[in-house]
Amino acid sequence: MAADKLLDGPRRATASGAAPSSLVVFLHGLGADGADLIALADPLSQVMPDSEFVAPDAPFPCDMAPVGRQWFSLQQREPAALLAGARSAAPYVDAFLDAELARTGLGPERLALVGFSQGTMMSLFCALRRPQAVAGVVGFSGLLIAPEVLPVEIVSKPPVLLVHGTDDPVVPFAAMAAAEAGLRAAGVAVESHGRPGLPHGIDPGGLQLAAQALTGWLRPSAMS
């Protein structure tokens, strides 16, 4: 992808001031942008002081709101439309991840993805198809696109943590169980947690679960 088409967004340098030993990329939801998630770096950096954080803006203006960005249109939500949308957006995500790894000099095993809603869809779609596995994927309030094609298309099997509010009115809570089943069927190690009473969002308990997963995946002793 041409350099002028590479994604970008807000960033947080390491809290320690040292060169990053790991990289966490946040992928935002529909109608938001990178600024919507980069604030998660503040609490995470307290337990991951040598990690760098970045939250790229999705490539397209949201077609369902006057502001915000989207990875692909959700005006049509049939499975075939979701799959086509993810396929169209994946090259942008992959090019961004490749550029960030090259910039930092880190290997894919030092990279983790954290998605919310549509960002979870893209995190799962891309991470499972990258030629080298990332350290792991945290998916908040999302779903697994086209689980029926995953066993054929899967290339990498990073561990996955799914977190979803039981009262989510946007992406049904049942999507988490469906995603877990689809991931397990493709041989992916997955852990899932429902957040009682939570609507479409990220609560402190969910963020704590993410922090535990991320620190485990990216702990210094895991470095090659």
Side-chain angles (χ1 to χ4, degrees):
M1 183 167 292
D4 61 351
K5 292 188 176 182
L6 282 178
L7 306 179
D8 201 3
R11 300 169 181 272
R12 292 284 191 276
T14 62
S16 67
S21 65
S22 58
L23 178 68
V24 177
V25 175
F26 301 112
L27 298 186
H28 65 77
L30 182 79
D33 57 25
D36 191 57
L37 288 186
I38 195 62
L40 297 179
D42 296 333
L44 290 175
S45 66
Q46 296 178 22
V47 295
M48 305 172 65
D50 293 325
S51 293
E52 186 174 318
F53 302 86
V54 59
D57 299 328
F60 307 110
C62 183
D63 61 7
M64 298 175 66
V67 296
R69 312 290 296 178
Q70 66 185 24
W71 300 99
F72 57 90
S73 177
L74 284 178
Q75 292 200 31
Q76 301 295 324
R77 304 196 181 196
E78 295 80 6
L82 295 179
L83 179 57
R87 290 201 197 284
S88 68
Y92 291 92
V93 176
D94 283 326
F96 177 79
L97 297 179
D98 291 343
E100 289 297 293
L101 291 176
R103 178 184 64 81
T104 59
L106 296 171
E109 75 284 354
R110 306 304 303 159
L111 166 67
L113 305 183
V114 177
F116 176 74
S117 195
Q118 193 182 44
T120 292
M121 301 180 202
M122 291 307 306
S123 295
L124 292 172
F125 189 88
C126 292
L128 301 174
R129 291 165 173 81
R130 286 183 63 79
Q132 294 178 292
V134 301
V137 179
V138 177
F140 290 102
S141 306
L143 56 81
L144 178 66
I145 290 176
E148 70 280 359
V149 306
L150 186 57
V152 176
E153 297 186 358
I154 192 167
V155 177
S156 297
K157 298 181 180 180
V160 173
L161 170 68
L162 301 175
V163 184
H164 209 126
T166 61
D167 291 358
D168 192 331
V170 179
V171 180
F173 177 59
M176 184 177 73
E180 182 177 11
L183 291 167
R184 289 192 187 281
V188 177
V190 56
E191 181 180 341
S192 63
H193 293 269
R195 300 300 302 158
L198 180 69
H200 197 59
I202 301 172
D203 68 351
L207 187 58
Q208 184 177 19
L209 290 167
Q212 292 170 352
L214 291 167
T215 54
W217 297 334
L218 297 170
R219 65 188 184 278
S221 61
M223 294 179 67
S224 56

